[in-house]
Amino acid sequence: MGQQKEAATLGMWAFLVTEIMFFGGLFVGYGVYRFMYPEAFHFGSHELDIQLGAFNTGVLIASSLTMALAVRAAQTSKKKLLIIFLAATFVLGAIFLGVKVVEYSSKWDHHLVPGSHFQRPEGAPVQLQVFFAFYFMMTGMHALHMIIGAGLMIWVLYGAVKNRYHSNYYAPVEMFGLYWHFVDIVWIFLFPLLYLIGRH
């Protein structure tokens, strides 16, 4: 059992390293283009809804707390609490994705989605579309990871209902917790980069 947990932990960290490299590449690209077109990125930040972004940041921080409590519940064989905290984490994740749908819909209605539909607001720099290309690419990949996480959480939650996790076997809950915290941390970097920097 101990060797299985060590192997699972090593595998998860190896996976997270590849994810860090993937998102790291996106962050580097964002930094390069922000340096090249600072006015366009400042203008783009003002087009984002900072209140919705801040709300979603709070939602994800809360979900990290419920996920940590779920892992603790699994470690202490508290099935009922495990189910409650996993379900709470799932609901918070769904709220986050729902808010992103609202934000994406607003950008579509205002013709700010890159492509043939894009219309530059009056007075906006020509490179504004570059900012929104990074916005949708980075937040879209993050949202995809959230959706995958929600699917995995259903599987973990099913295992909890079936009473598969206890103080001697909780690796799936712990590994999923690492994944969820990683996705939350990525958003903690995305929010200031996209919504805050450049605002006055």
Side-chain angles (χ1 to χ4, degrees), residues 8-154:
T9 302
L10 182 61
M12 175 54 74
W13 278 110
F15 169 73
L16 292 180
V17 168
T18 63
E19 290 289 286
I20 290 170
M21 293 173 66
F22 172 74
F23 278 101
L26 289 177
F27 284 124
V28 170
Y30 170 88
V32 169
Y33 278 92
R34 182 165 197 112
F35 179 77
M36 292 172 61
Y37 309 120
E39 291 186 4
F41 278 62
H42 290 176
F43 195 100
S45 293
H46 283 86
E47 294 295 318
L48 301 181
D49 192 323
I50 192 171
Q51 291 181 334
L52 289 180
F55 174 78
N56 255 354
T57 302
V59 167
L60 279 195
I61 291 174
S63 77
S64 265
L65 173 62
T66 55
M67 189 64 236
L69 292 171
V71 173
R72 182 59 184 161
Q75 291 171 335
T76 53
S77 302
K78 294 178 179 176
K79 175 185 174 182
K80 192 172 182 179
L81 284 178
L82 173 59
I83 293 172
I84 290 173
F85 287 131
L86 284 175
T89 306
F90 182 87
V91 170
L92 290 168
I95 290 173
F96 177 92
L97 290 171
V99 172
K100 287 312 298 178
V101 170
V102 172
E103 284 194 270
Y104 285 175
S105 298
S106 173
K107 297 299 168 285
W108 175 262
D109 292 340
H110 290 87
H111 303 279
L112 292 175
V113 178
S116 59
H117 185 70
F118 188 85
Q119 291 181 11
R120 188 159 47 94
E122 186 177 351
V126 176
Q127 300 84 6
L128 181 63
Q129 195 167 188
V130 176
F131 170 83
F132 278 102
F134 272 101
Y135 168 76
F136 280 102
M137 186 164 45
M138 297 173 86
T139 61
M141 288 307 302
H142 178 265
L144 177 62
H145 281 71
M146 291 284 296
I147 293 170
I148 293 171
L152 291 172
M153 196 179 307
I154 292 174

